[in-house]
Amino acid sequence: MNTIQYLEDQAARAERLAKRITDTLTIEKLLTFAGERRREIEVITGKYRRA
């Protein structure tokens, strides 16, 4: 598994878990984590553009 696949897997797992729980704080943390992993993927693949 390469780095991008690993990051995609981690983001997807966090998003799936966030859908299954009811604790608001934990949901926010999981979705923040998933967003950070997706931003890492963008940086690695060169899709990140500074405004």
Side-chain angles (χ1 to χ4, degrees):
M1 177 180 293
N2 68 35
T3 302
I4 293 173
Q5 290 171 327
Y6 175 76
L7 293 171
E8 287 174 345
D9 182 59
Q10 292 297 302
R13 286 177 185 226
E15 291 163 346
R16 283 193 306 269
L17 182 57
K19 290 179 183 178
R20 294 181 155 191
I21 61 174
T22 58
D23 178 61
T24 305
L25 180 59
T26 304
I27 291 169
E28 289 175 10
K29 288 183 178 186
L30 285 167
L31 294 178
T32 298
F33 175 82
E36 290 169 353
R37 300 300 73 82
R38 296 205 183 279
R39 281 187 290 284
E40 285 183 61
I41 293 168
E42 289 176 357
V43 169
I44 291 170
T45 61
K47 294 180 181 177
Y48 178 75
R49 294 182 185 162
R50 293 186 180 181

